[in-house]
Amino acid sequence: MTTALVRALGDLAHRAVHPAGCGPRACPTPSVLAERDDGTVVRSGPVVAKAHAAGTDTTALAARLRLAAGPGQEGVLLAPLSAAPGAHLTELHGRPVTLWPHGEPVDPGDPDTAPWEEAGALLARLHRTGVRGPLPAMHGPVKAALAVARMRAARPGGPAVAPVLAAWHGLPGWARGETAPPAGRGTYLCHGDLHLGQLVRHPAPHGAWLLIDVDDAGLGDPAWDLARPAAWYAAGLLPPDVWLRFLDAYRAGGGPAVPADGDPWPALDVPARALTVQTAALAWAKSAAEDRAPDEVEQVMIDACARIATLPPELAAERTS
């Protein structure tokens, strides 16, 4: 089924590029950009076809696609292409499928050119967007809960499980996806899964940076979109100067997740803890699936959970209740 799906995605992307066929010149073979349970992505020239996860809520996905294609997101979100006549969503092999223009991704081999300032500025613009029409909740807390469940299923025992679960249970219910966000914090438009892999240049290769992948976008606490880089910074994986470049760009753009000046951590503490747990849980599950010990970076995040687990539970209860 996977091979058939990849072939069908390549055919769909190819038809979007050459609706009348290639003519006398042969076209390049479509290439697989990603092949995971949560998304299979195939490129044909300037078009990318994505099969979303099986069981995706297509009503919610359609609302997210309308958001990305609608007014107000120019220069912020990459807009989808028509996957079917009059629609941005179609289906192949029982999976919802979307089409997108190809963008140039961040170069993982050149960290000095990573667009941290651009990411901060884009997030600020996204968070300040006025919401038109109904939107689902962003998936941030839900993704953290799924990561913990995946860890439990993949490797229920071992030295990482106890500290990760202790850090998890020390979080307030809204950060575990069990209750609504604090009053006034759940009404902002959020990306829901921000990391550098969610930025591309479009038009490729030298266009403006845009955010991609709206699968987790929706209404929520904007601090969640800053939580992954905040967690990396707290764990020592993101240098302080890089963190400040990102944070300063976000603040310069009027982002509402943190105060305009002063200590940002009261707003970021709980989401950053949750993303630390999510990252550590996925690391433990991945290492189990590959029958190996966690690598150095994965172990850093697991160790960070051990430190978090020693802190008073729900340290920020006063400001989040």
Side-chain angles (χ1 to χ4, degrees):
M1 175 63 77
T2 300
T3 301
L5 175 61
V6 167
R7 186 180 300 113
L9 289 172
D11 290 344
L12 181 66
H14 181 266
R15 289 196 302 273
V17 179
H18 300 287
C22 290
R25 300 179 63 182
C27 291
T29 302
S31 57
V32 179
L33 303 183
E35 194 169 1
R36 304 184 303 269
D37 290 341
D38 63 346
T40 300
V41 184
V42 178
R43 175 189 175 189
S44 179
V47 175
V48 171
K50 176 177 180 178
H52 300 257
T56 293
D57 181 339
T58 54
T59 299
L61 178 57
R64 293 177 167 114
L65 294 170
R66 287 193 296 271
L67 167 72
Q73 296 309 318
E74 301 88 349
V76 180
L77 295 174
L78 185 69
L81 303 172
S82 293
H88 298 295
L89 187 63
T90 188
E91 182 178 299
L92 290 172
H93 296 278
R95 301 267 293 273
V97 170
T98 51
L99 289 178
W100 303 85
H102 174 257
E104 187 73 16
V106 175
D107 182 358
D110 192 3
D112 290 339
T113 63
W116 286 106
E117 290 93 338
E118 291 85 348
L122 285 170
L123 280 184
R125 290 180 61 188
L126 182 70
H127 294 166
R128 290 168 43 220
T129 299
V131 178
R132 296 182 179 90
L135 276 176
M138 65 105 170
H139 278 166
V142 173
K143 287 178 74 71
L146 290 173
V148 172
R150 180 177 167 185
M151 177 192 72
R152 283 171 157 159
R155 184 182 273 178
V161 173
V164 171
L165 290 180
W168 178 244
H169 292 307
L171 294 170
W174 67 267
R176 299 195 301 266
E178 297 172 357
T179 61
R185 300 295 292 178
T187 57
Y188 293 90
L189 180 58
C190 301
H191 182 273
D193 188 28
L194 189 279
H195 53 81
L196 288 180
Q198 306 287 32
L199 284 93
V200 298
R201 284 189 181 276
H202 179 72
H206 303 301
W209 288 105
L210 297 173
L211 293 169
I212 63 170
D213 190 358
V214 294
D215 292 55
D216 302 301
L219 300 181
D221 182 352
W224 206 273
D225 282 343
L226 281 69
R228 182 177 272 108
W232 290 346
Y233 163 66
L237 294 176
L238 191 67
D241 65 309
V242 176
W243 163 247
L244 289 176
R245 282 163 44 201
F246 169 75
L247 181 64
D248 289 348
Y250 181 80
R251 282 174 153 167
V258 295
D261 52 34
D263 184 7
W265 213 253
L268 299 178
D269 176 66
V270 170
R273 291 197 207 188
L275 260 294
T276 301
V277 172
Q278 175 180 319
T279 305
L282 290 177
W284 192 244
K286 182 180 179 181
S287 64
E290 297 172 359
D291 193 25
R292 59 171 176 81
D295 64 27
E296 183 178 358
V297 172
E298 292 168 339
Q299 191 61 51
V300 166
M301 299 308 291
I302 293 169
D303 292 344
C305 285
R307 293 194 297 274
I308 290 172
T310 66
L311 298 173
E314 297 193 28
L315 188 64
E318 292 83 3
R319 69 173 179 276
T320 59
S321 60

